[in-house]
């Protein structure tokens, strides 16, 4: 790794399972790293953890979905999510629900989607991107014709 960081044990556990699936020849894998799993104790993913995850996924063609809802990714993780969307060309599903992403993080993700043509489904529900972030997504939708579903529910968007 470029920087010495402790790997979140939950991410490590999920990635080990993916390695097994890839060895079996499976493709089209969705990583489920939801932070609200009540069946097993999980260490929620932070923005810094998302950096490590993005580095692993950057050049992995077997993974086409990523579900990291209910974590603590914040604008830091949104930055790395945007970088991932620039480099990873098989990701079609991304769930970032309830991750404390603000207007700046929303802007980063929306702007990278101007050029991304592979992502089909993005869930941003519950992130406080506010009107400022919402406007960046509105602009992106005028440019990006490949995104099929965008969920911006409960994002503190206020009509004036």
């Amino acid at each position: 790794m470029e920087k010495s960081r402790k790997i979140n044990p939950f991410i490590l556990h999920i990635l080990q399972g993916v390695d097994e699936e890839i060895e079996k020849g499976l493709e089209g894998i969705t990583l489920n790293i939801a932070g609200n799993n009540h069946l097993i104790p999980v260490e929620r993913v932070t923005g810094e953890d998302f950096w490590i995850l993005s580095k692993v996924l950057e050049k992995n063609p077997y993974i086409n979905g990523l579900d990291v809802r209910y974590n603590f990714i914040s604008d830091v993780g949104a930055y790395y999510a945007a970088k991932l969307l620039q480099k990873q060309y098989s990701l079609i599903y991304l769930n970032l629900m309830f991750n404390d992403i603000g207007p700046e993080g929303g802007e980063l993700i929306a702007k990278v989607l101007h050029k991304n043509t592979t992502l089909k489904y993005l869930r941003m529900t519950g992130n406080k991107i506010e009107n400022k972030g919402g406007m960046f997504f509105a602009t992106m939708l005028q440019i990006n014709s490949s995104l099929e579903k965008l969920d911006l529910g409960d994002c503190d968007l206020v009509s004036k």
Side-chain angles (χ1 to χ4, degrees):
M1 287 295 181
E2 294 170 15
K3 300 175 184 173
S4 177
R5 296 183 186 199
K6 174 186 165 277
I7 297 177
N8 181 317
F10 184 46
I11 292 175
L12 191 57
H13 171 74
I14 296 294
L15 291 176
Q16 287 168 340
V18 168
D19 280 345
E20 293 170 10
E21 290 183 30
I22 290 171
E23 286 175 10
K24 292 177 187 173
L26 296 177
E27 293 181 23
I29 300 167
T30 295
L31 292 184
N32 184 357
I33 309 177
N36 65 340
N37 189 336
H38 298 293
L39 300 176
I40 56 172
V42 298
E43 183 179 327
R44 293 196 179 198
V45 177
T46 65
E48 291 77 20
D49 293 330
F50 202 90
W51 174 81
I52 293 170
L53 189 58
S54 70
K55 289 295 179 190
V56 170
L57 299 180
E58 233 173 54
K59 295 183 173 65
N60 189 324
Y62 300 101
I63 297 173
N64 69 7
L66 179 59
D67 183 346
V68 288
R69 65 186 156 194
Y70 295 101
N71 280 291
F72 301 126
I73 291 174
S74 72
D75 288 341
V76 172
Y79 170 82
Y80 295 120
K83 291 289 185 193
L84 177 64
L85 289 168
Q86 282 179 326
K87 297 177 182 180
Q88 214 272 13
Y89 299 109
S90 61
L91 199 64
I92 59 173
Y93 172 80
L94 180 58
N95 188 342
L96 296 171
M97 289 175 52
F98 295 95
N99 266 296
D100 297 322
I101 297 172
E104 292 76 20
E107 176 183 355
L108 293 167
I109 292 168
K111 283 186 173 180
V112 78
L113 290 176
H114 286 220
K115 294 182 181 173
N116 180 296
T117 58
T118 56
L119 193 70
K120 304 293 180 210
Y121 189 57
L122 175 62
R123 294 195 74 181
M124 291 289 293
T125 308
N127 290 297
K128 305 306 177 194
I129 64 168
E130 303 172 348
N131 286 357
K132 179 182 175 189
M135 289 306 293
F136 287 108
F137 280 101
T139 302
M140 175 274 298
L141 288 171
Q142 294 175 340
I143 298 166
N144 183 322
S145 60
S146 60
L147 189 67
E148 295 172 8
K149 295 182 183 179
L150 173 64
D151 188 348
L152 296 177
D154 195 24
C155 285
D156 286 356
L157 303 176
V158 180
S159 61
K160 293 180 182 181

